[in-house]
Amino acid sequence: MSEAEQVVTKREGAAVAQPGLARSASLLAMGSAASRVFGLAREVMIATLFGATGEVSAFRVASQVPVLLYDFLVGGMLSAALVPVLSQYAQLRSRVEFAKLLGLLATVLGTLLLLLVGLLEIAAPQLAWLLAGGLSEFDPALLELTTNLIRLTMPVAWLLCMAGLATSALYALQRFTLPAMATAIYNLGILSVAPLLAQRFGVVSLVIGMLVGTTAQLIVMVIDLRRAGVRFQINVDWRHPALLKIVRLYLPIVVGVVVSLLQVGLDRNLASRTQAESIAWMATATTLQQMPLGLISIAISLAALPRLSRFFAEGDESSYRATLGRGLRMVLLLIVPAAVLLWTMGEPVVRLLFEHNRFTALDTLQVVDALNIYLLGMLFAAIDYPLNLAFYARQNTFLPAVVGVVSVGFYLVAAWLLMGPLGYLGLVWADTAKQMGHALIMVVLIIWQVGMGKEMGEEIFGQGMLWIGMAGLGAGLVAWAVASTVDWVLLPGLVHDLVSLVVAGSGGVAVYLLILRWARLPELMTLSAGMRQRLRR
């Protein structure tokens, strides 16, 4: 085949891959949408039952411990090592070999987790002091409650990590439906159990719900693997080449993950010293910020990861750049209106969702203040996630780990400068500074590693990006104008908030879509066609 024919073939392959990327991303996004809806319902339930109190802050700290352990053992490894290596075995080896490797990983991870869970059960008092020592300044009983909740959540860590391993295997097999629903299953467990037990057990009912949700999550993932023809079996082949490769890929990540976890722990500790409710306020604002990130950035990135891994393995840098560029523009296409509309209508959103029972008007104002700052960081975090996975697809985990350590330095400097004058909002600004610094460095590094090329340059810096920016500005102006008119016409209350949210939000979205449709942005056409096809099915 001539060089010209090879170029044409690669371009055709990239063109075929893009609709596939859109379809996979839309599937993940639809599953993630259900997860985020249940997650939002969980947060509304917590706010209604318990408010934004010191007890809720204690629960937030305790529930973070299984997540931190998951991030340390599985979360960073999932996209950096597990999915790329398992993808190669799924595509190039037999299903029996794939199952043996998965059994080995389950044996190693399950044993290691049992040891760590036992150690953390013993060290729960020290862990509570490290993460939430400031709560004792407001109420000594809160630190004891945090300790007890940490001990109760430790089995969740084991279940969560094993479910994460099963999810990695399903991603490698390009089975996205049930993994996308995993978080919905987890949240459904909390929603089903906590309201029934809240009066008797208080915030402990939330931990019981977590146990039910993670157990159901793991069972569903294992059933889906069996449907794919994968049967778990105990394997102790410690010299398996794939295990050694996963460890080698993960070792650079460990340093970055440890530093990041230390930063999260420091953030919780510092927040606990500002006000007893600070952690609860920050967690509620984070929930609203993370909804669009999960629906958009993470869904698109995970859909692109197997394709990027394959293109890198084949040496097809042209298709690699085109896929990454298209993914980044798809992310920005969807994240910009989400950020603009949340910033414009954050207060009525928080009032409608959370301001019930023990969640007060003061809590609403504090959450909105934090949310408006988090939204700036959300824009940078949205492009940062696909850039990280782009490096992982190239089996380069060293550079993202270094950038992670550097970005924590941005957080520390900002927190030191801003916590005194701004309190907990200074910590929110510090987190935003971390996101901004990390994303900007990653942009420079990815261009240095793979080059801009015509494929990625046109996707990121072409006219499409100009139209996305103009459409976002138009949507924001329309939403603000409509919301201001509603403020002038209607008195504050439920009707005011509903009308403001529906009318201003719909107007902003309509203007955004009309501008991009008039510009005939290819990504919008592809996503619209994919969604229509899914809905017809």
Side-chain angles (χ1 to χ4, degrees):
M1 183 182 292
S2 69
E3 184 177 349
E5 290 173 329
Q6 291 176 4
V7 171
V8 170
T9 302
K10 288 181 178 181
R11 286 179 178 173
E12 290 175 347
V16 170
Q18 302 314 323
L21 173 59
R23 285 194 296 270
S24 298
S26 63
L27 179 61
L28 282 169
M30 292 175 72
S32 183
S35 302
R36 300 292 164 171
V37 168
F38 283 125
L40 186 59
R42 178 200 68 205
E43 294 304 313
V44 171
M45 179 201 69
I46 293 173
T48 302
L49 293 176
F50 307 108
T53 60
E55 289 184 348
V56 173
S57 291
F59 166 73
R60 297 293 187 189
V61 171
S63 63
Q64 191 72 29
V65 174
V67 176
L68 294 176
L69 189 58
Y70 170 84
D71 288 341
F72 176 67
L73 288 177
V74 178
M77 192 193 306
L78 187 149
S79 50
L82 287 176
V83 173
V85 174
L86 286 171
S87 294
Q88 290 182 355
Y89 267 73
Q91 294 167 12
L92 305 177
R93 306 295 180 91
S94 68
R95 195 54 54 90
V96 174
E97 290 185 78
F98 181 84
K100 285 182 179 179
L101 173 58
L102 192 58
L104 172 61
L105 294 173
T107 304
V108 173
L109 182 62
T111 304
L112 179 60
L113 279 168
L114 287 176
L115 295 174
L116 286 175
V117 165
L119 289 174
L120 291 176
E121 290 278 3
I122 297 171
Q126 292 76 23
L127 195 57
W129 181 83
L130 284 172
L131 295 175
L135 291 179
S136 62
E137 299 175 9
F138 304 98
D139 184 353
L142 289 177
L143 193 59
E144 183 180 354
L145 174 63
T146 305
T147 300
N148 294 333
L149 291 175
I150 288 175
R151 284 182 168 141
L152 291 172
T153 59
M154 291 320 302
V156 173
W158 192 92
L159 294 165
L160 193 63
C161 290
M162 297 305 291
L165 175 61
T167 299
S168 302
L170 291 170
Y171 279 142
L173 295 169
Q174 298 199 33
R175 296 175 69 91
F176 297 112
T177 304
L178 286 180
M181 297 297 295
T183 307
I185 297 168
Y186 166 77
N187 289 325
L188 189 58
I190 300 176
L191 285 167
S192 302
V193 173
L196 299 176
L197 304 178
Q199 189 172 359
R200 182 176 180 183
F201 295 104
V203 292
V204 174
S205 63
L206 298 172
V207 178
I208 299 173
M210 290 173 64
L211 286 166
V212 172
T214 48
T215 301
Q217 189 182 50
L218 178 58
I219 291 172
V220 168
M221 296 300 107
V222 171
I223 290 174
D224 199 30
L225 280 172
R226 292 180 66 85
R227 289 173 58 192
V230 177
R231 300 290 187 272
F232 279 100
Q233 50 186 304
I234 295 177
N235 188 350
V236 290
D237 182 9
W238 305 101
R239 297 184 179 181
H240 195 292
L243 178 62
L244 299 177
K245 187 174 186 178
I246 289 171
V247 172
R248 179 177 59 81
L249 288 171
Y250 184 59
L251 281 178
I253 292 293
V254 170
V255 177
V257 170
V258 168
V259 172
S260 179
L261 296 182
L262 290 174
Q263 179 257 315
V264 172
L266 177 63
D267 185 71
R268 291 292 180 269
N269 190 287
L270 293 176
S272 73
R273 299 177 187 281
T274 56
Q275 287 178 263
E277 303 86 359
S278 294
I279 295 175
W281 291 332
M282 294 166 68
T284 302
T286 300
T287 298
L288 293 174
Q289 171 217 22
Q290 287 181 343
M291 281 194 67
L293 282 176
L295 288 170
I296 298 166
S297 181
I298 296 176
I300 292 173
S301 302
L302 290 174
L305 179 59
R307 292 173 173 81
L308 291 172
S309 300
R310 184 175 73 248
F311 289 141
F312 174 71
E314 295 171 352
D316 189 352
E317 294 287 7
S318 177
S319 297
Y320 178 96
R321 286 192 295 267
T323 301
L324 176 57
R326 179 66 61 89
L328 287 170
R329 200 160 82 171
M330 286 172 64
V331 166
L332 289 170
L333 167 72
L334 298 171
I335 204 72
V336 166
V340 168
L341 295 177
L342 268 177
W343 184 81
T344 306
M345 299 178 295
E347 190 169 339
V349 167
V350 175
R351 270 201 303 265
L352 282 170
L353 292 176
F354 301 107
E355 197 176 302
H356 313 288
N357 200 8
R358 297 179 64 184
F359 196 98
T360 67
L362 174 62
D363 296 325
T364 294
L365 294 177
Q366 299 289 352
V367 169
V368 171
D369 287 343
L371 176 63
N372 288 337
I373 302 169
Y374 275 134
L375 289 176
L376 178 61
M378 184 185 77
L379 293 172
F380 289 89
I383 63 170
D384 193 44
Y385 201 85
L387 290 174
N388 272 283
L389 265 62
F391 274 99
Y392 297 159
R394 302 179 73 81
Q395 300 188 12
N396 183 342
T397 56
F398 176 74
L399 286 177
V402 172
V403 177
V405 174
V406 173
S407 68
V408 171
F410 296 147
Y411 169 87
L412 293 174
V413 172
W416 179 64
L417 292 173
L418 300 176
M419 182 179 168
L422 299 179
Y424 82 99
L425 291 178
L427 300 176
V428 179
W429 273 115
D431 184 77
T432 299
K434 171 190 169 185
Q435 299 289 358
M436 294 172 64
H438 196 290
L440 292 174
I441 295 174
M442 291 298 291
V443 168
V444 173
L445 288 178
I446 198 69
I447 293 174
W448 171 62
Q449 280 281 295
V450 305
M452 180 64 69
K454 183 179 179 182
E455 309 89 351
M456 198 159 69
E458 288 182 350
E459 295 289 355
I460 300 176
F461 298 109
Q463 288 188 351
M465 285 306 302
L466 178 62
W467 282 113
I468 289 173
M470 292 174 60
L473 179 60
L477 289 173
V478 169
W480 174 80
V482 174
S484 298
T485 303
V486 173
D487 290 343
W488 182 66
V489 173
L490 296 177
L491 294 174
L494 178 62
V495 174
H496 167 279
D497 290 340
L498 283 173
V499 171
S500 178
L501 189 59
V502 172
V503 178
S506 300
V509 170
V511 168
Y512 188 79
L513 293 176
L514 284 172
I515 292 175
L516 294 184
R517 187 170 183 82
W518 184 74
R520 301 191 64 80
L521 198 70
E523 288 79 9
L524 180 64
M525 303 302 176
T526 302
L527 287 172
S528 298
M531 293 296 287
R532 286 196 300 269
Q533 185 178 11
R534 292 284 176 190
L535 290 173
R536 282 197 299 269
R537 289 180 179 176

